[in-house]
Amino acid sequence: MTPTITEVTAARLRRPEVLGRTAPATVSWDLTGMMHPLSSDSAFAGQASRFEPSWDEVLCVVAASDGSFGVGMTCHAGPVVPIVNDFFGPMIVGESTLATERLWNMMSRSANSAFGAAGLAAYALSAVDLALWDLKGKILDRPVYELVGGPARERTRCYATGNDLDDARRRGFDAFKLAGSVGPGSTTAGITETERLVANARAELGADADLMLDCWSTLDASYTVRLGEALASYRLTWIEDYAPPDDWPGFADVRRRLPTQMLAAGERWLSDRAFAYAAQHRLVDVLQPDIQWVGGATAALRIAAIAAASGIELALHAGCNDSYGQHLSHALPQNRWAEMYVGCPPGESLMNAWRSTPGMSLPDDGWLVPSGAPGFGIELTRDQIGEATS
Ligand SMILES: [Mg+2]
């Protein structure tokens, strides 16, 4: 008999060291000096931390009538924890543990009616859905990458995100993504500075290395076009997140005016419908959902189907940084890359890169093979989860 859901509990991650993170997370590009939502206005230069929420990560447990449990994670604990504990949790207790599509549909449609499914609710939905998939894997005693039809290959290629190319190369990566440093407030000087960053990287890496540029959704369409024209000769694999996430005419404008440049976006699109729209209108070449933000593995699978049916590439945001992204990146044929955001000091273990959990695989010489343990292979007991959240 299929176990039923007996408990859904989300809590703020107060003690990340319980998860095996031995150093405080620091970023390899300096947030205080670089791009943020207001960086187009020089009056806000150096104030990135002012625009970052201070809420912690979330640990979500879904427990079953057979005594097993699954673990999901997301961020923005402040508003997300009550959405899980007061709204989604009571809604799905008593339901079948394995009915992930039915449960996702219940949670998504009810949130959309009550307060919108494509905002903070998408983070809460992600935490519950990821816990349910972890639980399904434990109940069926298989890794999630098999449950969703993988693995797609023996190992999955990774790329490193961060501006310390020497550190990334020492870690074995041979593909890289840079963060641009200035927005349209810097006009021509900004383009010159970003061109210098890309030119130096290209000279250091050689003509054939895969090199991408992330713009953190801080630009607008016309500046992106000027930037793309200036960078054309550097053969960027893609330019990412140039327009604000809801600037649909801007995405269309950039697509039309940079017809041959590979374009990528999606980490800030918080519903499968945004991806369906982007694919329908051919706005980008690469879809980049974040599995902890967009609605979990169920949403990521829907978006993977959209990508495959549309002939568009998939590249999960931060797909190498947590077990959830690792399993889906490894399982889905249309996902060529697993992104490792290197958010820790040079030489520091990648367990401190960003949002890692115990039992998680780390890339070896730039290639990933996820843990084959049941579920997502997250090695945490209920006691340890209690300790981490108290
Ligand atoms: Mg990005």
Side-chain angles (χ1 to χ4, degrees):
M1 196 175 133
T2 304
T4 54
I5 297 168
T6 56
E7 176 197 343
V8 180
T9 306
R12 174 182 152 199
L13 174 62
R14 295 171 188 269
R15 298 180 58 197
E17 66 273 17
V18 178
L19 272 53
R21 304 178 194 170
T22 55
T26 56
V27 291
S28 66
W29 62 62
D30 179 8
L31 278 174
T32 58
M34 302 199 48
M35 288 194 286
H36 59 72
L38 279 297
S39 60
S40 63
D41 186 338
S42 58
F44 295 112
Q47 298 184 33
S49 60
R50 185 173 169 186
F51 306 112
E52 284 279 309
S54 60
W55 299 314
D56 293 315
E57 287 170 83
V58 176
L59 274 173
C60 177
V61 170
V62 175
S65 53
D66 67 350
S68 58
F69 70 97
V71 183
M73 290 191 73
T74 188
C75 56
H76 303 326
V80 162
V81 165
I83 296 175
V84 174
N85 291 344
D86 302 343
F87 187 61
F88 290 149
M91 188 188 304
I92 66 170
V93 164
E95 293 284 334
S96 165
T97 49
L98 303 184
T100 41
E101 192 72 29
R102 166 183 162 85
L103 297 169
W104 195 92
N105 191 55
M106 287 166 61
M107 292 186 285
S108 176
R109 289 185 73 92
S110 56
N112 212 5
S113 173
F115 39 71
L120 286 163
Y123 295 83
L125 177 57
S126 301
V128 179
D129 182 78
L130 291 170
L132 283 165
W133 276 97
D134 188 42
L135 178 59
K136 185 188 292 205
K138 289 176 176 172
I139 290 170
L140 300 177
D141 197 28
R142 302 308 309 165
V144 172
Y145 65 71
E146 285 188 352
L147 298 184
V148 300
R153 57 193 81 81
E154 283 185 16
R155 55 183 191 160
T156 295
R157 192 177 175 204
C158 305
Y159 71 86
T161 295
N163 285 6
D164 190 338
L165 296 178
D166 290 339
D167 179 55
R169 293 170 92 183
R170 278 194 296 270
R171 295 179 186 277
F173 295 100
D174 67 356
F176 311 88
K177 189 166 75 194
L178 303 168
S181 60
V182 280
S186 301
T187 60
T188 301
I191 291 173
T192 304
E193 185 174 323
T194 303
E195 183 177 354
R196 190 178 303 124
L197 175 80
V198 172
N200 288 343
R202 177 54 79 200
E204 183 179 336
L205 300 171
D208 291 336
D210 277 295
L211 180 65
M212 301 81 149
L213 179 72
D214 192 344
C215 302
W216 277 25
S217 301
T218 59
L219 310 183
D220 56 38
S222 56
Y223 185 87
T224 304
V225 172
R226 290 179 64 201
L227 184 64
E229 287 171 346
L231 299 177
S233 64
Y234 300 101
R235 300 172 68 211
L236 289 170
T237 303
W238 69 62
I239 296 177
E240 171 177 327
D241 275 351
Y242 29 91
D246 56 356
D247 182 10
W248 299 112
F251 280 104
D253 198 21
V254 173
R255 172 74 294 166
R256 188 168 46 80
R257 294 165 70 189
L258 290 177
T260 59
Q261 172 63 57
M262 284 272 283
L263 299 170
E267 70 187 76
R268 294 173 180 84
W269 293 338
L270 300 178
S271 84
D272 55 334
R273 289 188 176 146
F275 290 88
Y277 182 88
Q280 184 186 352
H281 295 276
R282 314 299 292 186
L283 298 181
V284 295
D285 303 286
V286 186
L287 301 179
Q288 302 177 296
D290 186 303
I291 198 167
Q292 288 197 23
W293 303 349
V294 74
T298 300
L301 290 168
R302 288 176 173 220
I303 294 159
I306 290 167
S310 308
I312 294 176
E313 220 174 280
L314 184 74
L316 295 188
H317 175 242
C320 197
N321 281 86
D322 61 50
S323 291
Y324 312 112
Q326 289 188 356
H327 276 246
L328 272 285
S329 296
H330 195 56
L332 299 168
Q334 59 274 42
N335 193 100
R336 279 173 61 203
W337 299 96
E339 176 186 19
M340 174 55 86
Y341 168 64
V342 185
C344 59
E348 187 78 54
S349 165
L350 288 174
M351 280 300 288
N352 296 310
W354 193 37
R355 66 189 196 187
S356 61
T357 48
M360 190 181 96
S361 290
L362 292 176
D364 179 16
D365 217 20
W367 293 87
L368 171 73
V369 180
S371 162
F376 291 107
I378 297 168
E379 294 174 1
L380 281 174
T381 64
R382 289 295 305 262
D383 284 348
Q384 286 170 318
I385 291 167
E387 191 185 341
T389 54
S390 61

